[in-house]
Amino acid sequence: ASAQSRPETLKVGVALALSGPTAPLGQAELQGLKLAVEQYQEAGGFEVAGRKFLPELLVNDPGGSPANGVAQAEKLVLKALEALLPEDK
């Protein structure tokens, strides 16, 4: 396979309550997301604007706390920015 046909990794970040009072809901959501990622990976990924991607799931647990949820979402955004923006040397 050529380098062009090799899928790129697309990291999908989510903040799910996997602990705390709403953990059962977060666990159910996580299972659904894992299943979707698995299905896309088995299918060889998906295509957007002529580029092929394989999803990778990044999960943060805010513990059912709204304040922690905001902090976890901010961490995911920072990870995305670090991946997109080169560091100045």
Side-chain angles (χ1 to χ4, degrees):
S2 71
Q4 289 180 345
S5 65
R6 189 173 310 151
E8 299 175 56
T9 298
L10 177 67
K11 295 182 180 185
V12 179
V14 294
L16 296 174
L18 303 174
S19 59
T22 58
L25 296 174
Q27 291 289 343
E29 290 176 85
L30 180 58
Q31 293 306 314
L33 289 168
K34 283 182 175 180
L35 178 61
V37 167
E38 182 180 303
Q39 289 176 343
Y40 276 116
Q41 289 174 341
E42 288 175 359
F46 59 93
E47 194 172 309
V48 176
R51 294 171 56 191
K52 192 114 178 166
F53 296 95
L54 279 175
E56 178 185 324
L57 195 57
L58 302 176
V59 181
N60 285 359
D61 178 10
S65 163
N68 282 343
V70 170
Q72 296 299 321
E74 287 173 348
K75 284 181 184 181
L76 290 168
V77 169
L78 288 175
K79 283 183 185 179
L81 289 176
E82 289 171 1
L84 292 173
L85 302 174
E87 186 177 317
D88 290 335
K89 302 269 181 194

